[in-house]
Amino acid sequence: MKKDPKGQLRRLACFLGRPFEKEEEVDKVLWRCSLERLKNLEVNQHGADPWLGFEYKFYFRRGSVGDWKNNMSNEMKEKLDHITAMEFEGSGLGFGH
């Protein structure tokens, strides 16, 4: 996603059976879903989940490749990779590494 967001978004849209018709649609979705935009929304800076009590800002981290190393152990990473690989099986989606 980080290397080719437009290409991956188009691929995801096709996988979901909803391909984009115009380039502007791709740009709009990328903007609306950008981590920087979402992190800076008022509700995500100052709001809190009414059921769990967590502030929304805690759902957002840096959004940079490799930042998982600051928050997860290698064991946690391997477990998450295994679960994700099982869920992605047969979908045509996968990791780029």
Side-chain angles (χ1 to χ4, degrees):
M1 286 296 285
K2 292 290 256 185
K3 289 181 183 177
D4 180 22
K6 285 185 179 186
Q8 294 302 316
L9 181 58
R10 281 191 208 95
R11 187 171 175 214
L12 179 60
C14 286
F15 173 77
L16 295 172
R18 303 289 302 214
F20 292 102
E21 295 180 12
K22 300 176 184 173
E23 186 68 20
E24 300 84 43
E25 294 173 327
V26 176
D27 293 334
K28 186 174 181 177
V29 170
L30 286 175
W31 173 78
R32 292 181 69 79
C33 296
S34 73
L35 188 59
E36 286 306 312
R37 179 184 164 279
L38 293 172
K39 281 175 26 175
N40 291 319
L41 291 175
E42 180 72 21
V43 67
N44 291 331
Q45 289 186 349
H46 304 289
D49 185 305
W51 293 281
L52 300 175
F54 289 111
E55 291 181 51
Y56 290 132
K57 67 182 177 184
F58 294 120
Y59 289 114
F60 298 93
R61 292 197 335 258
R62 288 182 160 179
S64 59
V65 174
D67 188 45
W68 66 268
K69 295 173 188 169
N70 297 319
N71 300 282
M72 296 169 51
S73 67
N74 279 328
E75 181 181 353
M76 293 167 72
K77 177 214 180 282
E78 292 300 323
K79 187 172 185 176
L80 184 59
D81 283 353
H82 176 73
I83 291 168
T84 304
M86 287 179 12
E87 294 296 324
F88 280 4
E89 191 173 334
S91 70
L93 300 173
F95 295 111
H97 62 308

